[in-house]
Amino acid sequence: MTVITHSTTPFAGQKPGTSGLRKKVKVFQQPGYAENFIQAVFDVVQAAPGATLVIGGDGRYHNRAVIQQAIRMAAANGYGRVLVGRGGILSTPAASHVIRKHRASGGLILSASHNPGGPDEDFGIKYNGANGGPAPENVTEAIYARTLEIGRWLAVDTPDIDLDVLGTVEVAGLTVEVIDPVADWADLMESLFDFPAIRAAVAGGLSMAFDAMHAVTGPYAHEVLERRLGFPAGTVRNGTPLEDFGGHHPDPNLVHAKVLYDLMMDPEMAPAFGAASDGDGDRNLIIGKGIFITPSDSLAMLAANAHLAPGYAAGLKGIARSMPTSAAADRVAEALGIPGFETPTGWKFFGNLLDAGKATLCGEESAGTGSDHVREKDGLWAVLLWLNILAVRGISVADLAREHWEKFGRNYYARHDYEAIESARADALMAELTTALPTLPGKTFGPLTVASADSFSYSDPVDGSVSRNQGIRVLFEGGSRIVFRLSGTGTEGATLRVYLERYEPAGGHLDAGTPAMLADLVAAADGIAGIVRHTGRTAPDVVT
Ligand code: G16
C-alpha cells in the first residue's frame, strides 16, 4: 500500500457546530476542504490500527464523492475495515446502531440534516464515537484546534468502489463492506416494539401517512411500515431519496411538511396518524387527525405510555430533555418517580446520561426524540412508539392528548425562528440581553412579571464537565417562560430562536388556541430582547 501525503494549509472556520461541520456544498467542494476536516478527525481520535469505521450519509448531493475520498483516507490512516451503507446511505440513527452493533471505533455521518441539498445548498460531516453518539464537546474542540494547524492529509491512490453492490472489496489493504443500510436497524425496531399488535391494528383499519420528504427515511419506512407492518403501499410518500430532496427543505415542521399537515387537518381525508422525518432521519413530526402534537408534548406522552412497548416494559430509568424543550416531560418523570434531566441543546449532551443508565428517553423541542437503543435521536423510532401505543390502547391521538393534559396539565408551546439575520446584529441582540439579565427580575411586560432571568449553564452529572452560555432563560411569575438562543446549525448568517411556553394546569384552559395563549409572551419577548429594533424583522420566518 502506498500512502500519499498531500500537503495542505488550514481553511478558516472549520468549527463544528451543534451537529458537526455544516457548510454550503461549494465550500466543501474546494480542493482539500473535506479532506482537511476528515484528516483532523482521524488525527484527533487516533483509532487503533485495524479499527472499524462506519461511513454513510443521507444521500444528498456530494455524498458519494466524499465517501469515496473518506474510504481512501481511512485506508491510508490505518483503519482495517470500513462499513458503508449501499448507495452511501445510512440514516443518522441507523449509523449509530451500526457503529454499536459492529463494535466500530466510530463513524463519519455525511449530512446537513434538515437543511436543503443540491449543488447550491448544504452539506455536512459529523463524527460519532464508539458509543454511536455525536462526539462530545472536548473532541469537537480538539478537531477544530487540529483544523487550524493541519499541514497534510493522507490517502491511498485507488479508484472509486462500487457503492451500489452489496459485498466486500479490498482497498489497499482496507476491507470495505457495502452493507444493507436498513436491515440492522429494522431488526432492532422489531425487537423493541409490539409488531404483532401494530399489524393487528393495521388489519383492523389503523391508517397512516408518512412523509419521507425525498430524504433518507424512505427505504427504512417502506421496509418497516409497508413490508413488516402491513400498511398499504402508498402509506410512505416521497419515499425515494433524492440528491436535492426534490428541491424541498427536508425539515419536518408545519411549514415544510405542509402537504401532510393539510391532509391531517382535513376531516374527510385524514388518516388516523400522520408523521414525517427529516433529511438524515433523526427528527420526527407527529400529527393526529386534526391535531398537531408538539415535540415537547410528544416526549411527555411517549414517556407516560412507553411501558406498553416490549422494549420499555420494565419502565424508564429517567427522562432527559434539552433546556428549551417544555417542562411537560418533567411532570411525567415526577409522576413516575424517576429523575428528569435538563441539558443544553444538542443530542451529544444526552450521551453520558444514556451511557450511565441514568436516562432511557430523551427529547428536544427541535423534533428529536429517542432512547437508549442508539445514541442519536431517531425519527422512525418515535413514529413506531406512537403506533405501538395507539395500537395497544386502541385510542386516537386526539383522545390520548386530551387524556394526558387532563392528568398533567398542558404546556402551551411555540418556537419563533428569525432566520438568516446578519450575524453582527444577532450577536448584538444577545450581548445586550445578557447585560440586561440582572435588571429583569421584577419588571413587568403587559400582565407578565419577570421572576428570574439567567444564562443557562450545565454541569454534566456524569463527568462533571461544565457548558456555559447555553441560552438565555426568562421565567415569569406563574411558570411561563421565554428562552432566547442562537441556532448552532444554520449555514447562513444567524438564526435567532425564541421559545415560548405557558403552563395551564389540569382543569384550566386545555383546548385554547396556542397563538392566543402565547400572545402576551410574544409581546414580552420583543419588549425584553428588542427583536424588531435589532433585526428589523416584525415577524418570525418560521413558527413551530
Ligand atoms: C441538531 C442536534 C440537535 C439539536 C439541534 C439544534 O439537530 O442534533 O440535538 O437540538 O441541532 O439545532 P439549533 O442549534 O439549530 O437549534 P440536527 O437534526 O440538525 O442534527
Side-chain angles (χ1 to χ4, degrees):
M1 169 179 74
T2 311
V3 172
I4 301 175
T5 303
H6 299 260
S7 61
T8 188
T9 50
F11 290 91
Q14 290 198 317
K15 189 171 177 58
T18 318
S19 262
L21 183 66
R22 284 187 192 164
K23 300 282 176 198
K24 292 286 170 203
V25 166
K26 293 265 184 312
V27 174
F28 268 102
Q29 282 174 328
Q30 298 171 82
Y33 189 90
E35 289 85 350
N36 269 24
F37 188 74
I38 293 170
Q39 186 65 51
V41 170
F42 290 163
D43 287 347
V44 165
V45 302
Q46 297 276 341
T52 298
L53 180 72
V54 172
I55 307 178
D58 62 10
R60 70 179 57 226
Y61 184 83
H62 206 44
N63 198 31
R64 287 170 179 259
V66 174
I67 288 178
Q68 298 288 359
Q69 198 65 327
I71 289 171
R72 284 186 275 265
M73 293 182 66
N77 279 277
Y79 283 92
R81 189 166 72 130
V82 158
L83 303 177
V84 58
R86 184 179 45 210
I89 292 283
L90 273 178
S91 77
T92 291
S96 181
H97 180 53
V98 171
I99 292 170
R100 294 163 67 78
K101 179 170 175 185
H102 297 275
R103 302 192 185 289
S105 62
L108 291 171
I109 302 178
L110 311 177
S111 168
S113 188
H114 52 288
N115 294 329
D120 296 317
E121 299 295 354
D122 298 343
F123 191 75
I125 304 181
K126 176 169 94 152
Y127 182 76
N128 281 29
N131 74 345
E137 263 191 335
N138 59 341
V139 176
T140 56
E141 288 297 333
I143 292 169
Y144 176 52
R146 182 71 190 139
T147 66
L148 299 176
E149 59 180 30
I150 196 158
R152 58 95 186 90
W153 52 272
L154 309 175
V156 296
D157 187 11
T158 50
D160 285 356
I161 68 155
D162 189 343
L163 285 173
D164 296 307
V165 178
L166 293 180
T168 302
V169 290
E170 295 291 318
V171 174
L174 170 76
T175 303
V176 181
E177 286 175 42
V178 179
I179 60 169
D180 178 338
V182 175
D184 285 337
W185 176 89
D187 293 346
L188 176 64
M189 293 303 112
E190 202 152 354
S191 75
L192 294 174
F193 299 117
D194 191 344
F195 274 36
I198 304 173
R199 271 196 292 269
V202 174
L206 175 64
S207 56
M208 83 170 286
F210 179 78
D211 188 350
M213 306 189 92
H214 289 302
V216 80
T217 51
Y220 297 84
H222 279 305
E223 172 64 21
V224 171
L225 299 177
E226 293 176 352
R227 281 194 275 280
R228 297 198 189 192
L229 289 173
F231 282 103
T235 297
V236 177
R237 294 150 187 244
N238 304 320
T240 304
L242 299 176
E243 286 198 331
D244 67 350
F245 308 117
H248 299 297
H249 215 108
D251 192 351
N253 60 30
L254 301 183
V255 174
H256 297 298
K258 186 164 185 314
V259 174
L260 177 75
Y261 178 74
D262 289 345
L263 171 71
M264 296 307 299
M265 294 305 130
D266 182 334
E268 304 292 315
M269 303 298 290
F273 186 62
S277 188
D278 71 329
D280 62 332
D282 54 3
R283 298 185 174 205
N284 70 83
L285 171 69
I286 301 294
I287 314 179
K289 193 173 189 158
I291 182 171
F292 160 61
I293 303 294
T294 68
S296 296
D297 269 351
S298 178
L299 172 66
M301 291 168 190
L302 291 178
N305 292 281
H307 59 279
L308 299 174
Y312 307 94
L316 309 177
K317 293 175 186 134
I319 307 169
R321 65 166 174 87
S322 67
M323 181 274 281
T325 304
S326 93
D330 300 8
R331 299 177 208 287
V332 177
E334 203 184 322
L336 293 173
I338 57 175
F341 298 93
E342 186 178 33
T343 62
T345 294
W347 203 262
K348 60 189 171 200
F349 290 102
F350 295 134
N352 279 347
L353 297 171
L354 294 167
D355 284 346
K358 287 180 178 292
T360 307
L361 290 202
C362 305
E364 297 186 288
E365 53 65 39
S366 57
T369 332
S371 85
D372 57 1
H373 69 290
V374 289
R375 292 296 180 273
E376 288 279 4
K377 53 192 189 268
D378 190 339
L380 273 166
W381 168 92
V383 171
L384 292 168
L385 181 49
W386 264 100
L387 284 172
N388 189 142
I389 292 164
L390 298 178
V392 170
R393 299 203 40 199
I395 192 173
S396 73
V397 175
D399 286 347
L400 187 139
R402 165 109 310 258
E403 174 200 272
H404 188 94
W405 295 330
E406 276 168 3
K407 181 166 178 192
F408 296 100
R410 178 171 178 185
N411 293 70
Y412 285 92
Y413 188 88
R415 188 179 92 187
H416 289 193
D417 293 341
Y418 299 82
E419 295 177 339
I421 307 172
E422 211 182 292
S423 294
R425 288 175 169 231
D427 291 343
L429 181 151
M430 290 303 281
E432 190 182 292
L433 185 54
T434 307
T435 311
L437 285 178
T439 68
L440 289 177
K443 275 198 178 160
T444 56
F445 295 89
L448 296 163
T449 305
V450 177
S452 65
D454 68 358
S455 171
F456 180 56
S457 249
Y458 178 64
S459 188
D460 187 302
V462 179
D463 66 16
S465 60
V466 176
S467 304
R468 296 196 167 80
N469 300 322
Q470 298 294 323
I472 303 280
R473 304 189 284 194
V474 180
L475 278 170
F476 297 92
E477 286 171 9
S480 291
R481 185 179 78 151
I482 305 176
V483 172
F484 301 89
R485 199 186 141 257
L486 295 186
S487 157
T489 60
T491 51
E492 219 182 324
T495 295
L496 171 69
R497 302 207 194 284
V498 182
Y499 311 79
L500 310 148
E501 176 179 359
R502 168 172 169 179
Y503 179 62
E504 195 65 19
H509 301 287
L510 300 179
D511 284 324
T514 298
M517 292 300 274
L518 299 181
D520 292 337
L521 283 164
V522 172
D526 190 53
I528 291 170
I531 299 171
V532 179
R533 176 167 49 85
H534 280 287
T535 68
R537 307 283 177 84
T538 49
D541 299 284
V542 179
V543 175
T544 48

